[in-house]
Amino acid sequence: MRRETAPSSAIGIFDSGVGGLTVFREVARALPHHPLIYLGDSARVPYGTKSPDIVRRYSMQAANHLLQRGIGMLIVACNTATSAALPALQEALDIPVIGVIEPGARAAAEKTRGRVGVIATEGTVNSKAYTKAIQAINPRTEVIEAAAPLFVALAEEGWANTHVAREVAEIYLEPLLDAGIDTLVLGCTHYPILRSTIEHVVGDQVTIVDSAETTAECVRRIVVDSPNEEPLHTFLVTDAAERFRRIASEFLERDIERLELVTLG
Ligand code: DGL
């Protein structure tokens, strides 16, 4: 992929809630001086149980809001929104738009010995976006997709490392382990928040693919870090700002300074 000169404008990153922070964290590590604007649509989380039409409409509203703030690139840091809205966003926007599914699918296709498990939201699983993307690269790979919606609530609640999360993970992952998967894609950006719980359950024989890491790697290859001295990070939410501040600060291990409440639509 071509490396382009640094766009001085910010990169916009959006998700339904705190999940996209997993992508934000990796992008901030890869481009430590680049301005980033994060938008969490916390008023309307979860996206994973909503219809593709609604998710497309919400995604377009989030993208338009970020465009008004002058972003030069958009990362759709939500698998559900990527599966429902990526082509529509790419067609509607004049800036580069990157989704999280293609980078994760590519990494899974490269790493697997033949059987990939994908855990994701109901919307992403129903779209079969991962199966299509992985088999487009390697048609002989078997892909087993399973919805794990409670992981979103556990992440939003800050319960990622509790015994409740562990039991839920065992229930969701047992069928995939019984099916003999060798690679597991965390196909929802909320799920890396539960990564250590998930790793504990699947053990070290299963390779984990984190779509947040693979997407950040893809962005790093096409964007050159900006020369700004100080990274400028802005956070926008559509509801429950203080709750977002608490969970985001814990997850990013730093204080969230610039946080604004916004209305989309
Ligand atoms: N984090 C999102 C994803 O990657 C959506 C979770 C949700 O809102 O249901 O799919």
Side-chain angles (χ1 to χ4, degrees):
M1 227 179 283
R2 191 162 62 91
R3 269 174 89 86
E4 294 170 351
T5 47
S8 49
S9 40
I11 297 176
I13 300 175
F14 90 90
D15 178 49
S16 59
V18 296
L21 288 172
T22 59
V23 179
F24 174 92
R25 182 177 68 177
E26 299 305 324
V27 173
R29 267 185 198 151
L31 303 170
H33 304 104
H34 206 89
L36 304 175
I37 306 179
Y38 183 86
L39 169 58
D41 192 4
S42 43
R44 305 190 287 200
V45 65
Y47 280 10
T49 48
K50 298 193 169 72
S51 68
D53 280 350
I54 288 289
V55 173
R56 233 178 337 266
R57 191 195 313 156
Y58 290 174
S59 303
M60 210 56 88
Q61 290 171 347
N64 283 333
H65 185 93
L66 288 165
L67 272 183
Q68 282 163 20
R69 292 187 177 245
I71 58 164
M73 172 186 269
L74 177 66
I75 304 175
V76 184
C78 173
N79 290 265
T80 313
T82 299
S83 71
L86 187 65
L89 289 167
Q90 285 173 330
E91 199 175 311
L93 273 57
D94 280 341
I95 56 171
V97 182
I98 291 180
V100 277
I101 292 181
E102 167 68 27
R106 185 159 298 282
E110 280 163 12
K111 288 179 179 172
T112 186
R113 296 187 301 280
R115 198 165 293 167
V116 177
V118 178
I119 47 171
T121 66
E122 224 174 284
T124 303
V125 168
N126 289 342
S127 76
K128 291 253 171 272
Y130 271 102
T131 301
K132 288 179 207 157
I134 293 169
Q135 290 181 343
I137 300 164
N138 187 346
R140 289 211 305 272
T141 304
E142 195 181 330
V143 184
I144 306 161
E145 299 198 42
L150 287 176
F151 282 167
V152 174
L154 290 163
E156 290 285 334
E157 205 56 42
W159 279 28
N161 298 310
T162 61
H163 72 277
V164 179
R166 171 84 172 272
E167 277 175 42
V168 170
E170 281 167 1
I171 294 167
Y172 282 146
L173 297 167
E174 203 177 271
L176 296 176
L177 294 172
D178 288 348
I181 59 161
D182 58 71
T183 301
L184 178 68
V185 179
L186 307 184
C188 169
T189 52
H190 280 71
Y191 299 177
I193 297 176
L194 288 94
R195 183 168 178 154
S196 59
T197 301
I198 292 169
E199 268 173 352
H200 196 90
V201 173
V202 299
D204 53 12
Q205 296 304 307
V206 174
T207 305
I208 303 257
V209 172
D210 175 344
S211 54
E213 283 172 7
T214 52
T215 303
E217 175 53 28
C218 167
V219 173
R220 198 189 56 76
R221 272 188 265 126
I222 55 175
V223 179
V224 176
D225 199 11
S226 138
N228 292 346
E229 284 298 304
E230 289 292 321
L232 202 57
H233 293 165
T234 304
F235 297 88
L236 313 173
V237 287
T238 52
D239 197 9
E242 287 316 309
R243 182 186 170 85
F244 178 91
R245 185 193 299 281
R246 174 174 55 81
I247 296 170
S249 311
E250 266 171 39
F251 179 69
L252 297 174
E253 296 176 334
R254 66 176 170 84
D255 288 340
I256 300 299
E257 281 152 21
R258 265 175 293 269
L259 174 64
E260 289 174 44
L261 192 62
V262 297
T263 304
L264 302 180

